[in-house]
Amino acid sequence: KSTIINMAKTITILSLIAAALGSFYSVDAAAAALVDSATKINFEDKLGDLSLFGVGVRKKGPIKVYSVGMYSGEDAKESIASTPKSDALSTLSKSITASNETSFVLKMNFKVGAEKMAAAIAESVNPRASNKAQVETLKKLILDGVAAKGAATPGTTLQFDCSDEGVKVSVDGNEIGVAPGLKEAFCEVYLDDKCVSPALRNSCVENCCN
């Protein structure tokens, strides 16, 4: 009888420890994720092997069109972490451009038609790109991906994976295709001095700098 009682106590203690550990890890995971304060849209801390650097809102006047999260490799994060905040913005741009892969995840907060969404992103990339035909390819991929569901409605996710191969476009997890080149130009849309989301840049600096 005493053996049974001791076993029961042991099981109870182990259950309490497991519950405590589960609570710890869930809190830790939540802390690693980020929420865009402007839209309350959440971004997971990981995208495959890439880490979340920061989040921000894309506005057109008073309208909060979408939230964007930037994911990249640990090598880029380490470069930024060792940089003083006064130099962080320039280091951020250089490190991300040099990184093997960087992804921008756009989560819609406001409904935008397929043509308008494609044109808006292409217009941002165009002045930063030398090959205009590649920009047209990117525009068509976005148009095809969004048009397939009618419009970029709230909750729609557009993902742009930037690598040396080009910019891979996915809509709601469905790969649409790759626009060759444009890696640097697309990254600059979100990282240069005339970026479309200053909040994203600031978030990256705050989260990555020690």
Side-chain angles (χ1 to χ4, degrees):
K1 186 175 180 180
S2 61
T3 303
I4 295 172
I5 292 171
N6 288 335
M7 286 179 65
K9 286 181 178 178
T10 302
I11 291 170
T12 301
I13 291 169
L14 289 173
S15 298
L16 290 171
I17 292 172
L21 286 173
S23 175
F24 171 80
Y25 284 117
S26 64
V27 169
D28 186 59
L34 291 174
V35 177
D36 180 5
S37 59
T39 62
K40 310 305 179 190
I41 292 175
N42 180 71
F43 288 83
E44 296 297 326
D45 63 316
K46 286 284 188 179
L47 182 67
D49 294 329
L50 305 181
S51 298
L52 179 62
F53 277 47
V55 301
V57 66
R58 167 59 161 137
K59 287 184 174 182
K60 286 293 284 185
I63 299 171
K64 300 167 186 176
V65 183
Y66 62 78
S67 290
V68 53
M70 188 183 79
Y71 295 81
S72 197
E74 288 299 323
D75 54 340
K77 184 170 279 191
E78 288 171 8
S79 296
I80 300 162
S82 59
T83 304
K85 282 193 176 182
S86 56
D87 302 322
L89 288 178
S90 60
T91 302
L92 174 66
S93 181
K94 290 174 185 175
S95 298
I96 293 302
T97 303
S99 183
N100 291 331
E101 185 176 356
T102 297
S103 293
F104 294 89
V105 176
L106 282 56
K107 296 186 178 184
M108 300 302 299
N109 185 62
F110 185 83
K111 182 179 178 180
V112 180
E115 290 188 9
K116 193 170 184 179
M117 190 70 195
I121 295 176
E123 285 169 9
S124 294
V125 176
N126 192 57
R128 297 170 168 91
S130 56
N131 189 322
K132 306 307 180 185
Q134 292 175 345
V135 178
E136 286 302 312
T137 299
L138 176 66
K139 182 178 178 180
K140 187 177 187 306
L141 290 173
I142 299 169
L143 176 61
D144 290 349
V146 177
K149 60 174 296 177
T153 52
T156 299
T157 298
L158 288 81
Q159 183 172 321
F160 300 91
D161 301 323
C162 304
S163 67
D164 291 336
E165 179 187 3
V167 178
K168 181 169 72 175
V169 180
S170 301
V171 177
D172 288 341
N174 300 311
E175 183 179 334
I176 309 303
V178 178
L182 299 181
K183 172 189 172 184
E184 184 173 344
F186 197 94
C187 289
E188 286 178 351
V189 169
Y190 293 97
L191 297 175
D192 68 16
D193 291 337
K194 296 180 179 179
C195 64
V196 301
S197 177
L200 172 64
R201 287 207 314 170
N202 294 336
S203 175
C204 290
V205 170
E206 288 300 318
N207 288 307
C208 297
C209 281
N210 291 329

